[in-house]
Amino acid sequence: MTTTGCRAHALAPPAPRELSRSRALTAALLAVVAGLAWLLGSAQPAAAHAELVATTPSSGTTLDRAPEQVVLQFSEPVRLVPDGIRLVGADGTPRAMVATARGEQVTAEVPADATGTLVVSWRVVSGDSHPVSGALVVTVGASTGPVLQQPVELAGSDRLLQGVGVAATALQHLAGMTLAGLVLFGAVVARRHPSGTAPRRLLVALAAAASLGVLAGAAVTGLRISGGGLAAVTSPADWLPLVPAPTLATVGATLAGGWLVVALHGDQPSRRRRRAALAAGAVTVVAPVLSGHTVTVEPRWLGVAADAVHLAVGATWLGGLVGLVLLVRRSLPGAGGVRDGVALARVTARFSALAGWSVLALGVSGVTLAALVLPGWSALLGTGYGRSLVVKLSLVAVVLGVASWNRQLLVPRVRRAPDAPAAWSAFRRLMLVEVALLVAVLLATGALTSLDPGGGRDSATPATTAAAPTPAAPPTAPTPAAEDHAGGHDGHGPAGRTLAVRRTLADGGELTGSISPVLVGTNTLRFEVRDADGRLLRPEQPPTVRVRLDSRDLGPLSTTATAEDGGRWRADLDLPLGGEWTVEVAVRTSTFSEPVASFAVIAV
Ligand code: HEM
C-alpha cells in the first residue's frame, strides 16, 4: 500500500535530473553509433577459423617420385585429430598418414610406395575449437587416371548435428544468462524488496538447463571433430577424447558457477553470501569466452574483454526482465489490487535505468565483437555468419523498439498509478514479449557462434547454411542437356555427358552454364552470370568455384574461374573420386554481396 506523500512523488512529472540522465543516454547512444561505424569501417581482417595458406608440394603438381612429406601451412595454429590427414590412392581407399602439427604447420609423411593420382585429405581443429578440412591432389609419376567408385549417398546427419549444436548453445546462453541476471536483480535492483529473491526451484531449473546445454554443446564439438555424425554419440570413446581443453574449461566453469549459485541461495542471505552468489553467476555467464571465436582474434585481450562485457550486460538485461516479470506477478495477488505498488514502481524505475545502460554496453561490446571477428564489411551479407548477424541485429532492433515503448509509455504509467493492476498487467505482458524476442536473439546467436566468420565451410556445416544458398533453386542435380560426349573423357570407361546448370542467385540474378564430362578426373564448368534484369554481369573479381565430396569427407578443393570470350567463365575442376559432389560457385556481384550458386553432380 502507498502513502499520500509517496503517491504525490509518483504522480510528479519526471525530475530535471531524470530528464538530463535520459538526454545523456541518448547522446551517448548517438556517439556510440558514430564510433561503431568508424570502428567497423577501419576494422582489420580478423582471424576466423584456420585457413590453408600454402602446401608443399602445391595442389595439382606432378612429381617424378613420391615426396617424403607433404607440408600444410595454415593461417593460425591448428591441432591434429586422429586419422585427420589421409591419403587416398588409385584404389580409392583412404590411408591414415603419420602427421605432426607445430604451430601453423602440419607435416604428413607420404608412404614410399605412393604412386599415381593421390588425394591428401586433411581435417584439423582451429584455435576456436572448430574443425576445418580440405584436400589437395598430387600426381606421382604417370597419372593413374580417374579413380572409379560407386556413387555414395549423402549423409544428412551433419545438418542435424549442426542444428543440435545451435540449440545447445542457445540453451546454455539462455539459462546461464537468466540465472546470473536473476542473482544480480535480487542482489542489486530489488535488494530491499521482500519478494526480490528468485525462487530456488527456478534457479535449480536454470542451472540444470545451462548444464544440459553446455554438455550437449561439448558433445557436438567432439562429434564434429571426429567426423562422425549424430549417430556416433552412442560411442563416446570415439569423440569424448577429442573434446578440446578450452571447451572442457567452459563446461567446468558453467557447471561450477551455476550449481554454486543454487547452493548459495537463501531467503535472507548475508551480504557475503550475496557477493559470492554474484561471483558464481558471473563465472557461469562468462564461461563461453574460454572457447569462442574471440580467443583467436587480435588483439585477444580486446576480444575477450568485449565478449565478457557482452555476456554480462546481456545477462543483466535478460535476467532483470525475468526477475521483474516474476516480481510483478507476485505483486498482483488477484483482481483486487497491487501489493506494495510504490516499492514495485521504485524497483521498476531502477531496473529501467540499468537496462538503458545495459543496452548501450551491449551495442558497444557487440559491434566491437563484430568488428574483430568479421573479416570485412562484405562478409556481412556475403557469408552465412554475416547473414546470421544481420538476422540477430534485426531482432535486436525489434526488441529495442518494444523496450523503448515500454520505457517511454508503460514505465511512466505504472509510476503514476502504482496501485492500478491494469497498468502493471499491460507492463508485464510487454516485458514477456521482450523476453520472447531476446530468446530469438539468443537462437540467432547460437547459429552465429557455430559458423565460420570468414565464410569458409566448417567441416560439419552444410553448404546450404555456410555458403549462401540459392533459396529459389530446387535441390536437384542439373538436368542432362541434349549434347552427349562419345566415350569417356580419357577415351575409355563410361561415356561422358554435358549437364546444363541453371541456378537463381540470392540477389535475383542467375547463373547458367554447363559442366562436362561429369566423370571422375578433370571436368570443365563453363558459365555466365546475369543480373535480375537479364543483363550479363561482370563480377567484381573472378568467381571462386569449390567442390566437396561430403560422403568421403573430402574437400573443399577451390579454384578461381578464368574469363573467356563473351563474358563467360571457365573453371577446370578436379573430381578425384566418384560420388555426389557439391559444386559451389561464389560470384562477387558487389562489395557487399557474394551470392553462391550450389548444385550437385554425380561423377562416375
Ligand atoms: C547491438 C546489438 C548486438 C550486436 C552488434 C551483437 C553482436 C555479437 C557478436 C558479433 C557476437 C560474437 C559471436 C561470435 O562469437 O562469433 C555476439 C555474441 C553474443 N551475443 Fe550479441 N550482439 C548484440 C546484442 C545482443 C543481445 C541483445 C544479446 C542477448 C541478450 C546478445 C547475446 C550474445 C551472446 C550470448 C553471445 C555469445 C558470446 C559467446 O559465446 O562468447 N547479443 N554478439
Side-chain angles (χ1 to χ4, degrees):
M1 282 295 111
T2 174
T3 66
T4 318
C6 285
R7 189 172 282 136
H9 172 77
L11 283 168
R17 228 176 89 211
E18 272 178 54
L19 273 181
S20 67
R21 216 184 276 158
S22 155
R23 277 193 201 123
L25 196 57
T26 314
L29 262 173
L30 289 176
V32 164
V33 169
L36 296 177
W38 170 81
L39 186 62
L40 250 190
S42 59
Q44 295 296 309
H49 294 356
E51 274 174 26
L52 185 69
V53 289
T55 66
T56 311
S58 45
S59 191
T61 309
T62 300
L63 303 166
D64 291 338
R65 54 196 180 83
E68 280 179 17
Q69 46 186 224
V70 169
V71 181
L72 310 172
Q73 184 72 37
F74 291 91
S75 57
E76 61 176 67
V78 293
R79 274 173 294 128
L80 292 173
V81 298
D83 293 349
I85 317 288
R86 294 173 304 164
L87 186 75
V88 186
D91 61 356
T93 313
R95 275 198 275 175
M97 297 172 84
V98 178
T100 45
R102 248 179 231 106
E104 293 93 4
Q105 206 171 71
V106 171
T107 308
E109 289 173 24
V110 181
D113 61 348
T115 181
T117 308
L118 306 170
V119 183
V120 177
S121 118
W122 52 267
R123 172 193 283 271
V124 293
V125 182
S126 300
D128 59 4
S129 306
H130 284 247
V132 281
S133 60
L136 65 128
V137 184
V138 180
T139 304
V140 175
S143 163
T144 43
V147 183
L148 289 182
Q149 287 278 151
Q150 284 305 309
V152 201
E153 282 299 307
L154 262 181
S157 124
D158 267 358
R159 219 155 292 171
L160 192 59
L161 195 59
Q162 174 89 357
V164 173
V166 168
T169 309
L171 181 66
Q172 178 200 345
H173 285 143
L174 177 64
M177 286 172 115
T178 310
L179 182 73
L182 276 172
V183 174
L184 184 80
F185 181 80
V188 177
V189 184
R191 70 176 178 280
R192 291 202 193 92
H193 198 286
S195 315
T197 314
R200 185 187 165 82
R201 262 183 311 154
L202 178 62
L203 297 187
V204 170
L206 289 169
S211 307
L212 178 68
V214 76
L215 286 168
V220 168
T221 303
L223 286 165
R224 289 174 72 173
I225 293 173
S226 76
L230 199 56
V233 75
T234 49
S235 323
D238 292 344
W239 54 265
L240 205 52
L242 301 180
V243 179
T247 307
L248 291 177
T250 298
V251 172
T254 307
L255 264 63
W259 290 107
L260 205 56
V261 166
V262 172
L264 290 164
H265 178 269
D267 284 339
Q268 301 276 298
S270 65
R271 185 183 277 196
R272 189 185 272 184
R273 216 177 153 106
R274 229 181 230 158
R275 282 196 191 143
L278 269 175
V283 168
T284 306
V285 86
V286 302
V289 169
L290 299 170
S291 56
H293 287 140
T294 43
V295 293
T296 59
V297 302
E298 286 298 339
R300 189 174 163 168
W301 67 265
L302 183 59
V304 168
D307 206 359
V309 169
H310 198 65
L311 286 160
V313 289
T316 307
W317 186 11
L318 179 63
L321 270 174
V322 173
L324 196 52
V325 166
L326 291 175
L327 197 56
V328 173
R329 203 183 68 176
R330 281 194 223 160
S331 305
L332 297 175
V338 184
R339 195 184 295 143
D340 209 356
V342 170
L344 191 58
R346 263 198 225 114
V347 172
T348 303
R350 218 178 287 142
F351 172 68
S352 175
L354 186 65
W357 289 108
S358 301
V359 168
L360 183 67
L362 256 178
V364 177
S365 53
V367 180
T368 306
L369 286 174
L372 289 171
V373 172
L374 279 171
W377 273 107
S378 59
L380 211 51
L381 290 179
T383 63
Y385 183 92
R387 282 187 296 277
S388 297
L389 185 56
V390 170
V391 169
K392 170 170 171 170
L393 291 184
S394 313
L395 287 164
V396 170
V398 179
V399 75
L400 281 181
V402 174
S404 90
W405 172 278
N406 223 345
R407 189 186 163 96
Q408 303 299 327
L409 291 175
L410 297 187
V411 172
R413 207 171 124 197
V414 293
R415 291 191 71 191
R416 273 198 305 273
D419 295 329
W424 284 110
S425 293
F427 178 57
R428 191 167 77 97
R429 270 198 301 278
L430 212 57
M431 278 196 297
L432 281 172
V433 173
E434 246 181 85
V435 172
L437 285 165
L438 284 179
V439 173
V441 167
L442 290 178
L443 270 172
T445 303
L448 209 57
T449 50
S450 67
L451 289 174
D452 178 5
R457 179 184 172 268
D458 281 0
S459 58
T461 305
T464 44
T465 315
T470 50
T476 52
T479 46
E483 182 193 345
D484 257 17
H485 285 245
H489 70 313
D490 55 356
H492 54 82
R497 291 160 299 156
T498 296
L499 298 182
V501 179
R502 181 183 292 265
R503 282 291 182 265
T504 307
L505 297 173
D507 60 2
E510 192 177 62
L511 180 146
T512 50
S514 62
I515 182 168
S516 64
V518 204
L519 294 177
V520 169
T522 305
N523 288 261
T524 302
L525 173 69
R526 285 198 165 85
F527 61 95
E528 63 180 33
V529 186
R530 294 188 178 269
D531 65 16
D533 300 324
R535 285 186 300 254
L536 197 64
L537 206 130
R538 297 204 180 276
E540 296 222 331
Q541 61 194 47
T544 310
V545 186
R546 297 184 287 264
V547 291
R548 298 191 323 267
L549 183 63
D550 287 328
S551 55
R552 295 236 145 201
D553 220 356
L554 206 70
L557 293 154
S558 287
T559 185
T560 306
T562 50
E564 290 197 315
D565 290 343
R568 287 175 68 82
W569 297 93
R570 171 196 173 121
D572 290 322
L573 313 175
D574 221 339
L575 307 183
L577 289 179
E580 184 170 333
W581 288 81
T582 302
V583 183
E584 292 171 353
V585 187
V587 186
R588 175 154 307 286
T589 51
S590 74
T591 313
F592 299 109
S593 177
E594 192 177 24
V596 178
S598 169
F599 55 91
V601 288
I602 296 178
V604 291

